[in-house]
Amino acid sequence: MARKILIVDDEPLIVKGLKYSLEQDNYETDSAMDGEEALNKFFAGRYDLVLLDVMLPKVDGIEVCQRIREKSTVPIIMLTAKGEDMDKILGLEYGADDYMTKPFNILEVKSRIKAIFRRTAMMQKESTQSILTVRDMRINLNNRSVTIGQKEINLTAKEFDLLQLFVSNRGKVFSRENLLETIWKYDYLGDLRTVDVHIRRLREKIEKNPAQPEFIFTKWGVGYYFTDKD
């Protein structure tokens, strides 16, 4: 079954160009011209990835990203105009997985999309167990869900990939460069702040007190590691 991508942008030429190019690679595409239409289509359909512009009529892209992330872990790539606040553009606080600055090269867009799909497939293929447990945390590798006690924890795709990598390699220290290469793959062009923000968000979701972590620790000057030892 072809993967389906929702393109959300209020510039018709950008939408037309993305649709044409992605369909040449055998993706199915759908489009929305404003945030309200994007939300209606997303929750009424089934999509494997969302290309989401930040500046949209009716409902802006940041809010769209937030509302999608409340219900779904589908990968989201934010599209933004050059020169806007980078931290806001990244959308990392709101659950985006990647970002691209306009004007962008369509080949790079397709490369980012392929990297996301490749990473997801690889992580699933490499899974040798269906359930990982750490104290009262259960990580289900089949449906990519996480529960702590009786509470389900809503992680984004990259947060889940980070947690799975850490738990599968307990005690191993990963540099930020290692994590960029492993989780975002070699063709990801982001900077090291991306890793720090994702780690902080992951801690906020799985740690009782993120300021005094029990699981994800910082090895100062080196990177991050996971341990479940008291």
Side-chain angles (χ1 to χ4, degrees):
M1 180 181 296
R3 289 190 169 104
K4 191 171 184 179
I5 297 174
L6 177 61
I7 302 166
V8 187
D9 200 298
D10 62 342
E11 299 183 48
L13 288 178
I14 289 179
V15 173
K16 183 178 180 180
L18 285 170
K19 284 177 68 68
Y20 176 80
S21 184
L22 292 174
E23 288 170 2
Q24 294 299 302
D25 280 9
N26 298 315
Y27 294 114
E28 290 185 24
T29 66
D30 196 0
S31 62
M33 302 297 291
D34 61 63
E36 185 177 295
E37 182 184 11
L39 289 169
N40 289 337
K41 285 194 171 184
F42 182 84
F43 289 115
R46 181 202 62 79
Y47 299 96
D48 298 292
L49 185 140
V50 180
L51 290 173
L52 178 61
D53 189 25
V54 172
M55 301 299 295
L56 292 170
K58 297 185 179 180
V59 182
D60 69 44
I62 296 296
E63 184 175 347
V64 171
C65 181
Q66 281 182 287
R67 290 167 64 177
I68 288 176
R69 192 54 74 226
E70 288 172 0
K71 303 291 185 180
S72 172
T73 59
V74 67
I76 299 173
I77 299 178
M78 303 295 290
L79 307 176
T80 180
K82 189 174 182 179
E84 293 176 349
D85 183 344
M86 187 57 67
D87 289 335
K88 182 176 181 180
I89 289 167
L90 288 175
L92 297 180
E93 298 295 333
Y94 307 96
D97 296 278
D98 202 348
Y99 77 99
M100 297 196 68
T101 301
K102 298 178 182 178
F104 44 72
N105 186 313
I106 189 61
L107 294 179
E108 184 181 354
V109 175
K110 293 197 286 188
S111 177
R112 300 284 186 95
I113 291 171
K114 288 178 181 177
I116 286 176
F117 288 147
R118 185 170 60 246
R119 183 188 71 247
T120 301
M122 186 177 297
M123 295 296 285
Q124 292 174 342
K125 183 177 180 180
E126 291 176 351
S127 298
T128 57
Q129 296 176 278
S130 60
I131 301 289
L132 299 177
T133 59
V134 182
R135 300 185 196 172
D136 62 344
M137 184 191 309
R138 289 172 56 84
I139 305 165
N140 188 317
L141 304 183
N142 291 330
N143 61 16
R144 294 174 62 83
S145 66
V146 177
T147 58
I148 298 179
Q150 300 300 314
K151 181 181 178 182
E152 184 166 356
I153 309 300
N154 187 20
L155 300 184
T156 68
K158 279 194 173 64
E159 289 167 359
F160 186 92
D161 291 344
L162 280 169
L163 181 60
Q164 181 181 347
L165 179 68
F166 279 134
V167 173
S168 299
N169 297 273
R170 303 180 200 193
K172 179 178 178 178
V173 180
F174 290 91
S175 69
R176 291 184 293 174
E177 291 85 355
N178 289 155
L179 293 172
L180 271 179
E181 182 178 354
T182 303
I183 300 300
W184 282 263
K185 300 304 178 185
Y186 62 89
D187 49 6
Y188 179 75
L189 302 178
D191 61 32
L192 298 180
R193 292 182 305 162
T194 299
V195 174
D196 296 332
V197 173
H198 276 79
I199 294 293
R200 176 165 56 80
R201 282 201 346 240
L202 182 56
R203 278 174 169 162
E204 289 171 351
K205 293 180 179 181
I206 69 169
E207 303 280 9
K208 294 178 181 178
N209 180 2
Q212 296 181 323
E214 300 178 46
F215 299 118
I216 300 176
F217 292 85
T218 302
K219 186 78 170 181
W220 295 109
V222 182
Y224 299 99
Y225 67 99
F226 185 100
T227 182
D228 57 350
K229 297 179 181 180
D230 293 325

